Amino acid sequence: MGETRKRGRKPKAPASTTETMDFQYTSASNATQTDYVAAQNDVFSAANDSVPTAAAAAKNDANNPAPARRGRGRPRKSEVGHMEDTEPHAAASPERRPYQNGAVVLEHPPQPVAKWESVAARVMPAMDAVVKVFCVHTEPNYSLPWQRKRQYSSSSSGFIIGGKRVLTNAHSVEHYTQVKLKKRGSDTKYLATVLAIGTECDIAMLTVSDDEFWEGVSPVEFGDLPALQDAVTVVGYPIGGDTISVTSGVVSRIEILSYVHGSTELLGLQIDAAINSGNSGGPAFNDKGNCVGIAFQSLKHEDAENIGYVIPTPVIMHFIQDYEKNGAYTGFPILGVEWQKMENPDLRLAMGMKSDQKGVRIRRIEPTAPESHLLKPSDVILSFDGVKVANDGTVPFRHGERIGFSYLVSQKYTGDTALVKVLRDSKILEFDIKLATHKRLIPAHTSGTPPSYYIIAGFVFTAVTVPYLRSEYGKDYEFDAPVKLLDKHLHAMAESTDEQLLVISQVLVADINIGYEDIVNTQVLAFNGKPVKNLKSLANMVDNCNDEYLRFDLEYQQIVVLHAKAAKAATLDILTTHRISSAMSGDLKT
């Protein structure tokens, strides 16, 4: 983990830098959006019908040859507005025979369409492995956790790899109900099965049971991590058409990027090729036709143009090998510490560092991390697995490049060990640390599971997650959510693996909760004097309570007191009134 990000006041103008995931989606029930897409298709069709292509013009000229003449000087204009050559190219010279008036006619007219198709197939044979992904999503309703939102459809891109598998983006199939794939040039959609979803790295793996889908297609081969200024070609199905699209550019930057969907920081490529909605999950090829990445997000900013991001092959191979090794996706491990740069010379002297020693100071350690009993605050990390860490937290990457040392951690797998060398009280210590995934107090994702909830006397208790905050306060939740919740989100650490941050999300109005109607998204601290650890423990304490009253201690010294028997009796009537099938989610019943 790097230095803590700072949050300020919400900007007034929408000019702030925003990274967005890109996949084309349309709601099955949204007639306006569907009509818009249909209107776009009509525009393209009208344009194609009104302006004949060069291939069509050449074909018409070949079928109805006009008498040609041997003229001198300026070449004449063709019917489609292009300049015709006075002599055909030598490489494509057709056979000629004389005509009565001295002109010549073509014995075998050229076929430009077939020529262009053969060139495309020769330059990029791997394009046939690129597929279009159709997904129907049904998202949970985090504000009303006993319901689900209306389903919607999306389209994105993917590509075939070895082992009869297909890779795409995780956000392309998030909360999927049905996934279908269509090959290039095919009119058939095949039902797909989701094998694994890597939330942190934004990669998903699919497969198709129908053998017909795999016929005549060679899997994509992966290439090495490209260098700066290497040419890349992004292939996919962006918005605006149903056929494959190709955009090209170069690698402009290689660094640790913020993965928007996964809320993580992993290695990423920045390219200047256009990545639009629908390109998500499509491969990025090098000049040899090997895949070097997966398109997954772009930068939307008024001062930036054509900045796209690609998941590089090291991250892709980590995901694939993780699945093959464990039979499931286990995630990317973290070191579990927050650190501080040691660039100030006085700070280095105060920490007892010698002039030839470099490293970063540990500020805090995750209580749930395996190394919490080994490392201590103010330890200076000197090296990780034998690689020296600089005062700014970077390590050598390639010739002339440096990268954050979290890259070394992300190369490991969950459960692996790493040798960490630290400086403590002017002494050098070495520890073999077992790496694990990150346990957040406010999770960034729910891994496809529906939200948990518990209802008593109309009070709806739920655990806070990032999707919940986004549902309640919109995409700018980091500015609009209550300060207390944001502080927990940005800085709080879970003390145990099962700890949750609980809130009363709303109060379903009834006679028993008169006077409490205005309680919204207020944190719950204790029940009848006992601290609340998670939602399941709260539900057990309330259901098994034999006291006369139920008392909930909330933040800002606010309390809620209810008569126990009356509260439990009123719960049934409230559930019936609001058409809620159960007072608690299914995960709390087990």
Side-chain angles (χ1 to χ4, degrees), residues 100-121:
Q100 291 181 354
N101 60 359
V104 295
V105 295
L106 302 182
E107 190 79 26
H108 301 289
Q111 299 294 332
V113 174
K115 177 181 177 182
W116 280 109
E117 288 181 351
S118 63
V119 170

Side-chain angles (χ1 to χ4, degrees), residues 492-507:
M493 293 181 175
E495 296 294 333
S496 61
T497 56
D498 58 350
E499 182 181 359
Q500 293 178 318
L501 180 65
L502 304 185
V503 295
I504 297 177
S505 63
Q506 61 175 313
V507 179

